Amino acid sequence: ITDSSGAQSIVTVSSTTKTVGDVIDAINLATGGTVTAQLSRSGDGIELVDQAAGAGTLSVAEISGKTATELKLFGSGVVGGDGKQVIDGRRVLTIDVLATDTVNGVIAKLNSQGGRVRGAAVNTGSLVSPVKLGFNATFSGSRGDFVVEDPNNVLGVEDAAVGKDAVLRVGNTNSNAYFLTSPTNNFNNVVTAVDVSIKAVGSSPTSVTISRNNASISQVVSDFVTGFNSVLTTVGTLTAFNTATNTRAILQGEAAALRIQTSLSTIANYRNSGATGDIRSLGDLGITVTTGGQLEIDSTKLNDALTASPDSVVAFFTTDKTGLGKQLEALTKSLTDSIDGSLTTTTKSLESTATTLTGQIGRIDTRLGLRRQRLTLQFSKLETILNTLQSQGNALTSFTEQLKNSK
């Protein structure tokens, strides 16, 4: 779930999620209140309401499975009557069409409900009533199929199209052929690691030739180097000490940040002893360590390695347990694991310290407030005593004057 501020939350729906209430609780827990999940107004689905009030668009995407689609929450939100973006998963959308409603008025009523059907004005070009009301599903394929019930024939709905999935037959004989369906024209993993996009209905088999794309592999390696250097630069900036101004960055001396630098240095110099072939280090791919631990890539040497030993390059990154990719995965988990990751524990420790300090400040403020009250009361009492003494002094002075005058 991505709220309007761009913040993303991951909601996991597992076998322990039994009821609609469980799903709603899981969403509200994951989003932390930036997106509110609740029963739809019609009571037949889940409604998501954006509370972030950002400039972006509320949206829901699938990481795996079809849960969001089946709950009719997959897609983008629309602005509701209260000005907040809404994704409404209810099955039925009901609008009342009045005799005074215009086509655009009916469209506004329908679209404001945030369901899976949108209305749009269609200009037919006719000389009489050229503008018609059209209905479109927000999803393609069978998942976008819908029915318009207009018992009084107010809208005059006709030419309704039925949503259908695309069908792809793989294999050219009846004995080995199988069929795949997709709500779009895209099919993933038709065969291992091969995605297919279909363009038109075919009347005869189409042969597909699969070859290695070294350019895309080279780009992935280049992206890895860029990302590695970016992280190292960020950590370096946050842990630096400016000798000219004698000032330190916010994380200077922080153990967790220094641990990241050390771990990245280990990755840069890693040698995969379990890899097969002649690619066992980043240096064999033309990637060398330069000033400050930054990586530099020799594109010519990388392309030569991909051409001469493509399987060895793949093995270097993907070999189980010893591959560089597995090492990065283990490093990332050790840093960010939600239970015992070093960054997680450091964050929790800092939050605990901040909470403790906040509590101490609160208690000190309370004591200072009480002391102020006590000092104010003491001052008031002293003022009263001083005024009394002044009154008594004035009385004695007057009495003394009277005694003098009586002699």
Side-chain angles (χ1 to χ4, degrees):
I1 300 176
T2 303
D3 64 32
S4 61
S5 70
Q8 295 184 329
S9 305
I10 297 176
V11 181
T12 302
V13 179
S14 64
S15 58
T16 60
T17 309
K18 302 294 185 182
T19 66
V20 172
D22 291 339
V23 177
I24 291 175
D25 291 342
I27 293 173
N28 289 333
L29 179 63
T31 60
T34 60
V35 176
T36 302
Q38 59 195 26
L39 277 177
S40 63
R41 286 160 288 177
S42 59
D44 64 342
I46 297 176
E47 180 181 77
L48 302 183
V49 182
D50 180 77
Q51 307 292 350
T57 301
L58 170 66
S59 63
V60 176
E62 301 271 25
I63 295 178
S64 62
K66 297 182 178 180
T67 302
T69 299
E70 292 170 352
L71 292 174
K72 302 187 183 300
L73 297 176
F74 184 93
S76 302
V78 297
V79 179
D82 59 356
K84 296 180 179 180
Q85 295 186 51
V86 178
I87 295 178
D88 199 333
R90 58 180 169 165
R91 267 56 177 172
V92 178
L93 301 179
T94 303
I95 60 173
D96 294 323
V97 180
L98 307 178
T100 55
D101 282 338
T102 62
V103 170
N104 287 332
V106 174
I107 291 172
K109 285 184 176 181
L110 175 61
N111 293 350
S112 67
Q113 297 197 45
R116 300 179 65 185
V117 179
R118 299 287 188 272
V122 179
N123 193 328
T124 64
S126 173
L127 295 178
V128 180
S129 302
V131 180
K132 302 293 184 181
L133 176 61
F135 298 99
N136 299 295
T138 56
F139 301 99
S140 59
S142 61
R143 63 183 181 177
D145 197 19
F146 63 90
V147 175
V148 178
E149 295 183 355
D150 182 18
N152 297 320
N153 198 32
V154 174
L155 301 176
V157 178
E158 57 185 25
D159 298 329
V162 178
K164 295 181 179 180
D165 289 341
V167 180
L168 176 66
R169 171 176 166 162
V170 182
N172 60 358
T173 66
N174 292 334
S175 61
N176 66 8
Y178 56 92
F179 292 89
L180 300 175
T181 62
S182 171
T184 69
N185 289 333
N186 300 315
F187 294 80
N188 297 326
N189 283 319
V190 174
V191 294
T192 304
V194 176
D195 300 336
V196 173
S197 295
I198 58 177
K199 303 299 183 182
V201 177
S203 58
S204 60
T206 299
S207 298
V208 178
T209 301
I210 301 172
S211 60
R212 188 183 302 276
N213 187 347
N214 286 347
S216 64
I217 299 176
S218 178
Q219 184 60 51
V220 170
V221 176
S222 178
D223 290 343
F224 159 72
V225 171
T226 300
F228 182 97
N229 291 341
S230 176
V231 173
L232 202 60
T233 299
T234 300
V235 174
T237 300
L238 294 175
T239 57
F241 182 83
N242 191 325
T243 55
T245 60
N246 201 33
T247 57
R248 49 182 289 180
I250 188 67
L251 296 181
Q252 204 274 328
E254 174 59 45
L258 296 176
R259 194 178 303 117
I260 293 175
Q261 286 181 314
T262 302
S263 299
L264 290 177
S265 177
T266 301
I267 291 294
N269 294 283
Y270 178 70
R271 185 170 183 81
N272 185 355
S273 58
T276 58
D278 54 357
I279 305 298
R280 296 179 179 272
S281 69
L282 289 175
D284 294 333
L285 292 173
I287 300 173
T288 55
V289 181
T290 62
T291 306
Q294 297 277 312
L295 297 182
E296 186 175 77
I297 186 169
D298 182 338
S299 298
T300 300
K301 188 173 182 178
L302 173 60
N303 290 328
D304 289 344
L306 289 172
T307 301
S309 307
D311 293 334
S312 295
V313 174
V314 173
F316 171 71
F317 284 99
T318 62
T319 301
D320 189 31
K321 296 182 181 180
T322 63
L324 185 64
K326 296 296 182 181
Q327 301 304 307
L328 283 170
E329 182 180 350
L331 171 60
T332 302
K333 186 176 186 301
S334 70
L335 293 172
T336 62
D337 186 86
S338 60
I339 304 298
D340 57 2
S342 59
L343 293 181
T344 302
T345 54
T346 299
T347 300
K348 290 180 179 179
S349 176
L350 292 173
E351 290 175 346
S352 177
T353 300
T355 300
T356 300
L357 292 175
T358 300
Q360 291 176 350
I361 292 172
R363 290 190 291 273
I364 292 173
D365 285 342
T366 300
R367 289 198 296 270
L368 288 175
L370 292 174
R371 183 169 179 79
R372 180 178 180 178
Q373 291 178 2
R374 184 166 62 252
L375 291 174
T376 300
L377 181 61
Q378 289 176 352
F379 178 79
S380 177
K381 294 296 185 182
L382 290 173
E383 282 283 300
T384 301
I385 293 173
L386 181 60
N387 290 335
T388 301
L389 291 175
Q390 287 178 341
S391 297
Q392 291 176 349
N394 292 334
L396 288 174
T397 300
S398 176
F399 180 69
T400 301
E401 291 295 327
Q402 290 177 6
L403 287 178
K404 287 181 181 181
N405 294 333
S406 63
K407 293 181 179 181

